[in-house]
Amino acid sequence: MAGTRTVRSALLAALLLSGTAAMAQTASVELKGGSEVPANDSGASGSGSISVAPDKSVSGRITTTGIEGRVAHIHTGAAGANGPVIVPLAKDGDNAWTVPAGAKLSDEQYAAYVAGTLYVNVHSATHPGGEIRGQLQPK
């Protein structure tokens, strides 16, 4: 009887863990000028979330205020460092940016996402290299 309970408990734990592993990881992000490299004193801001599914497909949306964004991207790079664009975001209205359908991370990019070394930034005419930025910190 005790052995049966142990096996049932182990199976239940395995099912719960496999279900957790199969869920998308979501990262909230807050964008501000002080996080850009180099930092700036922009009063603009942004927020949103980016999710990565188990198959490494990416989805999400960022909204901004106080900025006329020209382009926005997800980049690789730790806080304080710039890096290459890996996912260009699509403009969605005046103050929003979305991850385009079909966007997917490579294994290396996914590892960077989990490590917190991906960031989102929005570029403007005033700050063509990026006006506001936020690191993605998955939960």
Side-chain angles (χ1 to χ4, degrees), residues 8-63:
R8 284 184 187 158
S9 295
L11 287 172
L12 180 59
L15 286 171
L16 290 173
L17 288 173
S18 66
T20 301
M23 293 173 31
Q25 287 189 332
T26 301
S28 296
V29 62
E30 297 293 325
L31 295 86
K32 57 186 178 181
S35 297
E36 265 298 348
V37 178
N40 65 67
D41 62 357
S42 172
S45 63
S47 64
S49 63
I50 302 293
S51 295
V52 180
D55 69 352
K56 300 180 185 78
S57 59
V58 185
S59 62
R61 180 179 172 93
I62 305 297
T63 56

Side-chain angles (χ1 to χ4, degrees), residues 63-92:
T63 56
T64 61
T65 55
I67 182 175
E68 286 189 40
R70 292 199 164 176
V71 294
H73 311 103
I74 299 173
H75 298 254
T76 58
N82 289 322
V85 171
I86 59 171
V87 179
L89 301 181
K91 188 131 179 156
D92 184 12

